[in-house]
Amino acid sequence: MTSSAPKKPAGRGVAPLPKGARERAPQVLASLERLYPDARTELAFRTPFELLVATVLSAQATDVSVNAATPALFERYPDAHAMAQAEAEDLEPFIRRIGLFRGKARNLAALARLLVERHGGEVPDDFEAVVALPGAGRKTANVVLSNAYGFPAIAVDTHVGRLSRRLGLSVQTNPDRVETDLQKLFPRERWVFLHHALILHGRRVCMARNPQCGACELAAFCPKVGVEA
């Protein structure tokens, strides 16, 4: 395999960082480290292939629903070679309870075939190669490369984007530009931890609706306390 770290998203014409973002960032990181010292992905996986499949399935779905579906799926299709023999209709019964399951089944069948054809059935540790797979994108590539291969990366999902704006770390709504802002503010060696911790905080405290600002340890320096971002 040819190792390739995630490429930086394009940053031309990007708005500047919010006022005080560089001062808040160390406070945010320190608080998250106290709250979630062992933060990691909540997707269950044993191999890079399982992580790739689970991440594709997790789009617009909960990790809980994905983790409920994948054990039976992986028992029947343990690797890309096995899944490459399947049609989308064969995969659908395993993921029927996951949102957008028909489209995801098509993507998984095509993805597995491309892994076999282009990469010998292995998930490449190359950013552009992962992005080129059906159903994958920048977020998926960042998740796979950081969790399976240890590359420093920040995967921006809805939680990471929402908290970045609420905490005054970015004004961007485009995930790629949020990623760029966070990369400017936090040490490279803490990028993987950061995105996992922000996701956990977004699920447990700083929810999209009814955020628990009164119980939030980040509220003291959060410029959006009680305000929807």
Side-chain angles (χ1 to χ4, degrees):
M1 291 185 182
T2 301
S3 176
S4 173
K7 303 294 189 294
K8 290 185 178 181
R12 296 181 66 181
V14 175
L17 291 168
K19 183 178 180 180
R22 294 193 183 278
E23 291 71 31
R24 276 190 297 277
Q27 296 174 300
V28 169
L29 183 59
S31 294
L32 293 175
E33 288 174 335
R34 287 194 301 272
L35 291 168
Y36 312 106
D38 301 316
R40 61 183 184 276
T41 181
E42 293 189 320
L43 291 171
F45 72 97
R46 295 167 298 183
T47 66
F49 174 73
E50 290 188 357
L51 177 59
L52 174 61
V53 169
T55 306
V56 169
L57 291 175
S58 71
Q60 299 184 51
T62 66
D63 288 357
V64 172
S65 68
V66 173
N67 290 341
T70 49
L73 177 68
F74 293 146
E75 182 177 359
R76 177 64 182 83
Y77 304 104
D79 54 35
H81 290 281
M83 192 172 286
Q85 303 303 311
E87 299 297 332
E89 293 77 10
D90 301 322
L91 304 177
E92 287 181 7
F94 294 93
I95 62 173
R96 191 174 299 276
R97 295 186 179 182
I98 297 175
L100 307 175
F101 73 93
R102 288 192 177 89
K104 291 175 181 179
R106 289 193 296 270
N107 284 333
L108 291 183
L111 173 155
R113 292 187 187 104
L114 281 184
L115 285 179
V116 172
E117 293 169 6
R118 296 180 181 177
H119 307 291
E122 300 296 321
V123 177
D125 60 349
D126 179 273
F127 184 83
E128 298 299 339
V130 176
V131 169
L133 296 170
R138 186 175 186 89
K139 186 194 113 175
T140 297
N142 280 337
V143 170
V144 172
L145 291 180
S146 61
N147 289 283
Y149 297 123
F151 287 118
I154 302 173
V156 179
D157 69 352
T158 56
H159 298 293
V160 174
R162 181 177 72 255
L163 267 67
S164 295
R165 291 184 290 275
R166 283 182 174 169
L167 291 167
L169 302 173
S170 178
V171 297
Q172 304 293 340
T173 56
N174 181 289
D176 293 356
R177 292 183 173 182
V178 173
E179 181 185 345
T180 297
D181 285 350
L182 295 179
Q183 288 176 342
K184 294 175 183 176
L185 292 170
F186 294 92
R188 185 179 180 88
E189 65 272 14
R190 300 305 285 156
W191 286 356
V192 178
F193 166 82
L194 176 72
H195 87 249
H196 288 317
L198 286 173
I199 289 169
L200 290 178
H201 198 65
R203 288 174 177 167
R204 299 177 184 180
V205 180
C206 192
M207 289 81 78
R209 298 180 181 179
N210 192 30
Q212 305 299 301
C213 300
C216 180
E217 293 193 24
L218 284 64
F221 47 83
C222 177
K224 294 284 188 181
V225 170
V227 178
E228 288 294 325

